[in-house]
Amino acid sequence: MRPFIPDRLTSARYTDAGRQEWVALNLEYGSTFQAWRTWLLARSALGLSGAQTTTVRDVDALYLNQEGKRILVFQKGPYVVLLTGPGSATVERLVALGNQIQV
């Protein structure tokens, strides 16, 4: 399990004008390889859940709806980023948020 535990975890929670919650989790690993290994595990699990692909920050990302939330996950360098928003949020809106994450 240790290889999948990040060196640093940063989280933020936002509430938009419609009082809907948005969450950003940034998992930082000691190397790009460690992050990539975690991304492969997440990609496999999300793929089984029916996730679809998109592009964020010039890398592949996966998104899906689960329990009334829209979830977006991507890996960039030593980071794995997980974003959640309301189920009614468009994928484009989550991608725009992901593009603003500084990694």
Side-chain angles (χ1 to χ4, degrees):
M1 276 312 271
R2 175 66 186 123
F4 301 106
I5 298 172
D7 293 347
R8 182 177 304 159
L9 171 70
T10 305
S11 68
R13 185 169 46 181
Y14 308 93
T15 303
D16 64 17
R19 297 208 176 265
Q20 300 208 30
E21 184 174 272
W22 296 75
V23 176
L25 295 174
N26 185 358
L27 292 78
E28 182 179 348
Y29 291 88
S31 71
T32 298
F33 177 74
Q34 287 177 302
W36 176 76
R37 198 170 30 191
T38 303
W39 166 242
L40 286 180
L41 178 65
R43 191 173 73 180
S44 298
L46 291 171
L48 293 173
S49 299
Q52 297 178 18
T53 60
T54 190
T55 302
V56 178
R57 299 188 58 84
D58 300 322
V59 297
D60 289 335
L62 293 174
Y63 68 92
L64 71 149
N65 281 347
Q66 188 172 19
E67 298 180 15
K69 297 282 185 189
R70 186 162 310 252
I71 301 168
L72 177 79
V73 181
F74 65 96
Q75 182 249 329
K76 179 83 173 181
Y79 305 97
V80 174
V81 178
L82 174 91
L83 302 172
T84 66
S88 61
T90 64
V91 174
E92 291 78 14
R93 195 165 174 201
L94 268 177
V95 167
L97 178 60
N99 285 329
Q100 297 301 312
I101 302 286
Q102 293 184 355
V103 291

